[in-house]
Amino acid sequence: MAKPDKEAAVAEIAESFRSSSATVVTQYTGLSVSQLSQLRRALGTNAKYRVAKNTLVKRAATDAGIEGLEDLFVGPTAIAFVEGEPVDAAKALRDFAKDNNALVIKGGYMDGKSLSVDEISKIADLDSREVLLAKAAGAFKAKLSQAAALFQAPASQVARLAAALEEKQRNAGTEAAEAPAES
């Protein structure tokens, strides 16, 4: 690779590091081209999976201010640059790695900190943003329903109390009319 090409590749990778919400570093030894294509499809549109030379990736990471990943750039390396929510990409990588032993997740980077394989697995175990929002909306709706019932309860209790008092007065009036007059 000529020097200008390397510089362009480093700049492109560095920009990918800067614009990503998370990155996952993998080793892909033994994966075929069709399997890599399948993995890219599984990652969807919010993640780019890029195979790159370790020397270029190390330089790009340094340029982007990414620290703590140097030990991961050994052997055949590919990086998933995640734009947006990292949960779906982490799930796709974890599930693909389960089905294809040739893909090894080495670690990652998110929110200014390097991630271990266990941390990436924990991210993959999380519900997606849409599911979490739906759960929150359901919880809010349930609480609002409880509040409405609570606010409605005193009014319905007053109505029942008024009906009971009216019934009691009617019964008292009826009993007084039916009672024999004392002479």
Side-chain angles (χ1 to χ4, degrees):
M1 202 180 241
K3 188 169 180 162
D5 292 340
K6 287 181 182 179
E7 289 174 1
V10 167
E12 184 181 336
I13 296 168
E15 182 55 35
S16 293
F17 272 119
R18 285 186 206 99
S19 65
S20 298
S21 60
T23 58
V24 180
V25 180
T26 64
Q27 181 174 337
Y28 64 95
T29 305
L31 289 178
S32 66
V33 173
S34 65
Q35 288 173 319
L36 285 173
S37 296
Q38 182 182 2
L39 174 58
R40 285 186 173 103
R41 279 191 302 277
L43 286 171
T45 58
N46 70 335
K48 293 184 296 182
Y49 192 70
R50 177 168 179 153
V51 174
K53 288 187 170 186
N54 291 326
T55 54
L56 300 179
V57 174
K58 285 179 187 178
R59 193 174 306 147
T62 303
D63 289 352
I66 307 294
E67 296 176 2
L69 298 181
E70 297 81 19
D71 296 340
L72 303 179
F73 302 133
V74 177
T77 301
I79 303 171
F81 294 103
V82 182
E83 297 169 358
E85 292 297 316
V87 175
D88 293 333
K91 281 182 185 182
L93 286 166
R94 179 198 58 195
D95 294 345
F96 193 86
K98 282 182 185 177
D99 296 337
N100 300 284
N101 293 334
L103 182 72
V104 177
I105 298 173
K106 296 172 155 184
Y109 190 83
M110 185 172 77
D111 294 335
K113 141 183 193 311
S114 61
L115 300 172
S116 68
V117 176
D118 289 337
E119 290 170 322
I120 293 171
S121 180
K122 287 177 185 175
I123 290 170
D125 290 337
L126 294 174
D127 289 330
S128 69
R129 183 175 192 270
E130 291 78 22
V131 171
L132 291 175
L133 288 174
K135 285 181 179 181
F140 287 139
K141 183 180 176 188
K143 290 298 179 187
L144 287 174
S145 296
Q146 288 175 347
L150 182 66
F151 292 136
Q152 184 183 4
S156 62
Q157 286 176 346
V158 168
R160 285 193 301 270
L161 179 62
L165 285 173
E166 186 180 328
E167 182 69 28
K168 185 175 181 180
Q169 286 176 345
R170 246 187 269 140
N171 288 342
T174 308
E175 288 177 6
E178 291 177 2
E182 290 183 30
S183 325

